[in-house]
Amino acid sequence: MLKSTSTLVLLLLCLSNLQAQKSKKDVLKKLDGQATAYGDISQQIWEWAEVGYQEEKSSALLQKTLQDAGFTIEAGIAGIPTAFVAEYGTEGPVLAVLGEFDALPGLSQQAVPEKQPADGIAGHACGHNLFGTASVAAAIAVKDWLIATNTKGKIRFYGTPAEEGGSGKVYMVREGVFDDVDVALHWHPGDTNNANPFTSMANKSAKFRFTGISAHAAGAPERGRSALDGVESMDLMVNMMREHIPQDARIHYVITSGGKAPNVVPDYAEVYYYARHFNRNVVIDVFDRIVKAAEGAALGTGTTMEYEMIGGTYELLPNLTLQKVMYDNLVAVGGFNYSDDENVFGEQIVKSLGMEAIDASKTETIQPYQTGTKINGSTDIGDVSFVVPTIGMIAATFVPGTPGHSWQAVAAGGTSIGKKGMMVAAKTIALTAIDIYKDQKLIEKAKIEFEENRGKDFKYVPLLGNRPPALDYRK
């Protein structure tokens, strides 16, 4: 009798758990109970801080987490060892949750409010340790809800490497791995909570390599042809070109190799360029002019030049039909408050940024809904948004006022502040996906808007061409 009673209790508990997961309120409650475990995952990825296409440990950890939760894994997608797709479900609408996990070079930092390098080569200055983890949490929560409600649907997590300049998603789009997806959902760390529809800047990047002739810089300079002269001549011409491009275009460069010793004429030099604008056609034009400057520099300095495309991304195409659904869910989830210790940390961070005090409203509340927002940055999610309706949001994982790609962003991402914001994103994405599964007419409306916005005659052509993934671009 005791055994029978125990079995009955266990059965009732299981049924109660499944019933509880049928409501959005209890999906949130379960995620709250898992916050510590997901925080530990994000912290581990923060400590590894692996740069683009080298995220072996980070990718493996996220794959294992999903596999343990019942997802099937396909790794090595699109010729990229650290890219993968995790899927649960066999039929129904296909929803994709995107997750990134690459760090930025040269930004190693401890989780403290002073600039103190952590003796590493990279740091999560864009919060991708939080990005990938929150998206995994959301995908698993949606999977649990599909089971509890007996809803037909496929939920996928896309592990997308090398967003920071490596254009990982572009190769995945090019290989067709998003072709059967109905809706894609994503988020990004930031210093506010908002889910406004926004666009981003298209981007083309390349490494320009000049080859010259080495010689003794004092004993036989006439016999040398300086590759560094080629780079500097190119940079001079491109900097003059800035006056004659659209005002909202952007050009950045860094000299990655310029010689080893002043008394040796450099026979090799390299410069790494980005061109950006909110319209990819303008980017193509600006980039082509940069190439002409490089060709002229080589001609004028008696060197030779070749360039390698490194990345290329589309601008982001918003979808208003679905974006308002995500916004409403973010409002329902709400922001969060700082603890006393977090306030002390935050106050020191804002002082390092030259500000007086923390603007707590940026973390505690949700920014008002508005359309027409432009983000002065680029993301390879742009390419995804031109092949499938795509929506996203931002969660306040940084101390308000913190710019991305800074040591202050790295520091916050390794603290409880980053983890709290991460769970805001996980909850919002999970609830939004549930709403889409429950009202599949939203998918139909979103696709109509999607087709209208990208144009009837649209044909996807990647800006980086047919090159294979640039797996060594960070080496």
Side-chain angles (χ1 to χ4, degrees), residues 58-70 73 84 140:
S58 302
S59 178
L61 177 56
L62 295 181
Q63 289 182 52
K64 185 179 187 305
T65 303
L66 288 155
Q67 190 170 39
D68 289 347
I73 309 293
F84 69 96
I140 292 173

Side-chain angles (χ1 to χ4, degrees), residues 106-118 345 348-349 352 405-408 410-411:
L107 284 162
S108 174
Q109 168 68 28
Q110 299 177 41
V112 295
E114 303 88 26
K115 189 176 182 180
Q116 293 187 14
F345 176 93
Q348 290 178 270
I349 288 290
S352 77
H405 295 198
S406 65
W407 70 260
Q408 292 93 339
V410 183

Side-chain angles (χ1 to χ4, degrees), residues 210 225 230 233 237 292-305:
F210 288 78
R225 297 293 182 270
S233 298
M237 285 189 283
K292 292 295 185 184
E295 292 171 345
L299 181 64
T301 56
T303 59
T304 59
M305 183 279 299

Side-chain angles (χ1 to χ4, degrees), residues 44 58 110-111 218 232 249 258 266 301 339 341 355 358 363 386 402 433 435 463 472:
Q44 180 63 83
S58 302
Q110 299 177 41
E232 291 188 308
T301 56
S339 68
D341 288 344
M355 298 184 295
I358 298 173
T363 299
F386 272 85
T402 299
D435 281 345
L463 296 186
D472 61 350

Side-chain angles (χ1 to χ4, degrees), residues 349-373:
I349 288 290
V350 297
K351 286 179 181 178
S352 77
L353 293 165
M355 298 184 295
E356 293 295 327
I358 298 173
D359 183 356
S361 67
K362 297 286 183 69
T363 299
E364 296 169 0
T365 63
I366 310 305
Q367 297 299 301
Y369 184 82
Q370 62 181 19
T371 60
T373 302

